[in-house]
Amino acid sequence: MEVKIGVQHAPREIVLESGQSAEEVERAVAEALAGKSQLLTLVDEHGRKVLVPADRLAYVEIGEPAPRKVGFGAL
C-alpha cells in the first residue's frame, strides 16, 4: 500500500510503502485528526515507524502501488 503524507511547512511529501491495509491507515489518520492521538504513526514494509505530528498534517493520500515496468518498451 503506497501512502503519501503532506506536512505543513515542508517542501516534500513523505512517501512510504506500508504493509497496513487501507482501512488501518485511514483509521490511524482519523484518530490523529480527531485528537485521540498527538501523532500519526505508520509502519513501512521494513518495520520502520513514521511519526508525524497530527497538527502538521496537510493531506494523506492512500493508494495501491503502481506496477513497476521493466525493460525497454514503447510508452
Side-chain angles (χ1 to χ4, degrees):
M1 173 72 50
E2 182 180 63
V3 181
K4 293 181 183 179
I5 304 169
V7 181
Q8 295 176 8
H9 310 295
R12 296 176 139 188
E13 62 189 10
I14 300 169
V15 180
L16 66 122
E17 290 288 332
S18 177
Q20 296 171 298
S21 69
E23 292 80 21
E24 291 172 330
V25 173
E26 188 175 350
R27 188 177 322 113
V29 172
E31 288 177 0
L33 293 176
K36 293 182 181 179
S37 64
Q38 297 289 326
L39 296 171
L40 169 62
T41 305
L42 298 175
V43 180
D44 73 359
E45 288 182 333
H46 303 287
R48 296 176 291 211
K49 286 188 178 182
V50 176
L51 306 171
V52 180
D55 61 342
R56 297 289 182 196
L57 287 175
Y59 64 89
V60 177
E61 183 179 315
I62 304 168
E64 293 293 326
R68 299 188 189 272
K69 296 182 180 181
V70 178
F72 299 98
L75 296 175

